[in-house]
Amino acid sequence: MPNLGFPEIMIILVVALLVFGPKKLPDLGRSLGNGIREFRKGTQGLKEELEGSLKAEEVPAPVIAEAARSLPSETPQR
């Protein structure tokens, strides 16, 4: 996707102004901003929930103590 420069953004704004009119354009911008904010809140909540569940699963079990118990004790045989 090509980058949008200043001239392209100005053309988009002029077309939006012509299509929606000067009275409706601020309302559209406000509702678009609210939608983006709600989307970010939702994705942030989902991200935190996912990270929390991953951290809960990463709790390591005491592997060293278990391995020491399972090893046979070495006693000299005579």
Side-chain angles (χ1 to χ4, degrees):
M1 184 172 166
N3 293 332
L4 292 177
F6 184 73
E8 290 88 4
I9 293 175
M10 289 305 297
I11 291 172
I12 292 170
L13 289 176
V14 167
V15 170
L17 184 63
L18 291 174
V19 171
F20 297 111
K23 292 183 180 179
K24 199 71 169 167
L25 203 57
D27 293 336
L28 289 173
R30 191 175 302 115
S31 60
L32 179 65
N34 287 338
I36 291 172
R37 188 178 311 115
E38 289 296 320
F39 179 76
R40 285 185 181 172
K41 272 190 202 177
T43 56
Q44 184 65 25
L46 183 64
K47 180 181 174 184
E48 288 172 358
E49 183 179 328
L50 181 62
E51 287 176 353
S53 67
L54 288 177
K55 286 181 182 179
E57 292 177 3
E58 290 179 2
V59 176
V63 177
I64 297 172
E66 288 292 322
R69 279 189 231 144
S70 65
L71 291 176
S73 61
E74 292 186 31
T75 55
Q77 296 180 356
R78 294 185 183 179

